[in-house]
Amino acid sequence: YSPGPPPILKLSFRRPVLFLKTPPPPPAAARDGVLTPETVAEAALDGLAAGRFLILPHPQVAEYARRRAEDPERWLAGMARLRRSMLAERGA
């Protein structure tokens, strides 16, 4: 028995287009560099359509990944600070 070559997965996506007269202002988190779920989803769909393995939705993500690998304790402390500041902004 020989199973042969693995199947090739092909994906295609169709995205609806929404036209707004005036784009809504970005939420506070987006202004600070945190992306909206919609922006990340669009980056993921674009990356899948292009056949990329590593999809980085934000320009700074590659740098974050490098820093996280080089000094995980420092990266965790920074993420904890970011979380605290975002919770304080929400009043939580």
Side-chain angles (χ1 to χ4, degrees):
Y1 169 76
S2 175
I8 296 174
L9 177 63
K10 293 270 184 178
L11 302 173
S12 66
F13 299 94
R14 297 185 79 187
R15 288 181 269 160
V17 177
L18 176 63
F19 294 98
L20 300 173
K21 290 183 180 181
T22 305
R31 288 191 297 270
D32 292 337
V34 176
L35 302 178
T36 64
E38 294 82 7
T39 301
V40 173
E42 185 169 331
L45 291 174
D46 290 344
L48 288 170
R52 288 194 307 270
F53 173 74
L54 181 59
I55 300 170
L56 302 174
H58 196 286
Q60 294 176 333
V61 172
E63 180 65 18
Y64 294 159
R66 185 186 64 75
R67 288 181 181 171
R68 182 179 64 220
E70 288 178 353
D71 190 349
E73 293 299 321
R74 181 177 178 191
W75 182 82
L76 285 170
M79 291 296 104
R81 276 192 308 276
L82 176 62
R83 180 178 182 274
R84 282 192 304 271
S85 70
M86 291 180 77
L87 289 173
E89 183 179 301
R90 291 176 40 198

